[in-house]
Amino acid sequence: MENVFDVLNERGFVAQASDVEALRERLGRPTSCYIGFDPTADSLHIGSMVPIMALAHMQRCGHRPLVLVGGGTGLVGDPSGKTEMRRMLTAEQIRGNVDALKAQLSRFLEFGDGKALMLNNADWLLDLRYIEFLRDIGRHFSVNRMLAAESYKMRLETGLNFIEFNYMLLQAYDFYHLAEEYDCVLQMGGNDQWGNIVAGIELIRRKSGREAHAITFPLLTTASGAKMGKTAAGAVWLSASRTSPFDYYQYWINTDDRDVVRFLKLYTFLPLLEIAAVEGLQGQELNAAKTVLAYEATLLTHGRENALAACEAASGVFGRRRLAPDLLPSSGIPRDVRDETQAVPTTDVERHRLEEGIPAFELFAETGLCESRSAARRLIQQGGAYVNDMRLREFDLRIGVSHLRHDGILLKAGKKKIHRVRAMN
């Protein structure tokens, strides 16, 4: 079987790695690895997809992923890349979020005996005795070296409190605990976590004399410089209740041309030889590859039925090609996709309101196509709003029953956002 380090490296997951030759040798046999996830919400977002996919590749290559949720460190705050401390939650809130995250991650990982595990660091951190922790763990850390870490240097400019200062020790202790209890010798994470992961490697070496390893992922932005998973409307979540499968699909299909090959490598399991065939494509052929990317990414997160419905809806509403191109034969997109709009985000409005007519700017705000009524006014005045493919010219035009079609009223904000309004008796 191919060494998973080579798989991750060739697909663009590796930014830094510790002692590559020793790491490749270790990954030549079954290895436990872990990544930490923040449990301060009941859903992850697209920004978490790189670590999720990395764990999935590890499992596919015969290794055991440990998903660590920071129920203990979530009560403290991670200074890495943040301008302020994270929101502190109660233990009950964190337990609810952990259950939701496990259900979400089960689409990507197989949990069970001898397979992936989900662990909560609150199980060991909350029972630590402070004096013993300082004596046994704290003495191995140099304050000068800690302050030199990039994550701390960034926070020193805006203010670093003592609670946050302890975070490196706690994350290092997590790695040490997992090495002792689960034979975990590899931690992976974002490139901003390099200093914390190396601190854990050093702690393991000092405390038990064992060798441990690190892999960090590049901090991804799109070709336009935007943060991965961020849109004008906010984060793109993996939860269908926060971001509908249709909107999730739309995020991927609107990928910048320059990002298509990179994203196919990172966010799908399609073979690299097939993805290589996409390089150099332009125009309609590249649009077909975007359809594959959107379908495969939605398939992983929301399942085949939702991915297919989103693909059908996008084709019906926007007239996109949906066929799986021969240059990517492993894609699961069926070739006989029908034109449907059932996956389009929909709001049911009482019929009597449509009979009276609803001012366009109010309806665009009510459906969430615009953040506010004033934003809706601006969109309409700038010519970016449509009703059933008709450009709106007046922000207070009343939208009502005269606009109803068999599938409702289709509202569009620009070329990428769409919402359907249906009459409700």
Side-chain angles (χ1 to χ4, degrees), residues 175-189:
F175 198 178
Y176 169 71
H177 176 86
L178 294 175
E180 292 295 297
E181 298 297 325
Y182 298 94
D183 193 28
C184 176
V185 295
L186 170 62
Q187 182 182 356
M188 301 188 290

Side-chain angles (χ1 to χ4, degrees), residues 18-29 211-213:
S18 59
D19 195 346
V20 171
E21 289 307 314
L23 175 56
R24 286 191 79 261
E25 188 280 327
R26 183 65 182 83
L27 292 175
R29 55 188 188 277
E211 184 178 42
H213 304 277

Side-chain angles (χ1 to χ4, degrees), residues 79-92:
S80 302
K82 309 291 194 306
T83 56
E84 57 184 21
M85 277 181 58
R86 66 176 64 174
R87 182 169 63 98
M88 294 187 184
L89 302 180
T90 66
E92 183 178 357

